[in-house]
Amino acid sequence: MALWPSSDPYDFALAAARAVGEHNPGITFTYVSGEGTGSTERGRTMWARVKGRTENALLAMPMNAYMFRPGYIQPLHGAVSETRLHRVMYTLVSWLYPVLRRIAPSHTTTTEHLGRATPAVARPRVRCPRVLDSREINRLGA
């Protein structure tokens, strides 16, 4: 059997978690999905259902698993998306980030905060929920 059974995001994430968790039961596994992910697996959009199903399966595994659900992520320090559409979107709206951060702080974060928060959940005395929104990401990443 192949290590990565398919290109399906659900299969890929679970195969990765199984591969690392099998030999390291105390490992902390982080999965970045996105705001709007549906834990009920009954969301209106396919991506929300697939990511919700993936999160639920990861949370049921015998490991420390944390789900990150950021909303808008402001790229910092030269971070650039590989997706052309995302690059265009960021170019058009990045100047609005200070306003978005003020009016919707629980829906915005930065690449820096996300980059600091993902390893922070593995620290022994860090207390946080297993599903983190942008507000919690910002708290841990500050």
Side-chain angles (χ1 to χ4, degrees):
M1 180 171 131
L3 181 60
W4 309 117
S6 77
S7 62
D8 179 275
Y10 173 84
D11 292 334
F12 187 83
L14 265 60
R18 285 187 196 107
V20 296
E22 182 179 323
H23 301 290
N24 305 290
I27 197 163
T28 297
F29 189 88
T30 61
Y31 177 71
V32 180
S33 59
E35 188 173 289
T37 297
S39 296
T40 64
E41 302 177 30
R42 293 190 178 116
R44 280 192 264 174
T45 60
M46 175 63 86
W47 73 264
R49 291 191 300 270
V50 171
K51 288 183 178 229
R53 180 174 169 231
T54 305
E55 285 186 357
N56 290 338
L58 290 169
L59 289 168
M61 294 178 88
M63 65 171 61
N64 301 315
Y66 292 90
M67 309 301 116
F68 285 75
R69 291 183 180 177
Y72 176 83
I73 304 170
Q74 177 65 31
L76 299 178
H77 310 297
V80 178
S81 175
E82 291 183 11
T83 307
R84 185 174 189 275
L85 178 62
H86 292 167
R87 286 193 309 270
V88 170
M89 182 202 61
Y90 282 123
T91 300
L92 294 174
V93 301
S94 64
W95 63 274
L96 277 174
Y97 178 70
V99 175
L100 291 172
R101 189 181 66 218
R102 280 214 185 275
I103 63 174
S106 61
H107 303 285
T108 61
T109 191
T110 66
T111 52
E112 185 172 342
H113 282 142
L114 184 59
R116 288 181 181 165
T118 50
V121 297
R123 293 190 191 117
R125 291 181 292 278
V126 170
R127 301 266 186 221
C128 64
R130 292 183 71 195
V131 177
L132 298 91
D133 61 10
S134 290
R135 186 179 304 270
E136 191 66 24
I137 292 166
N138 291 335
R139 184 186 72 79
L140 286 174

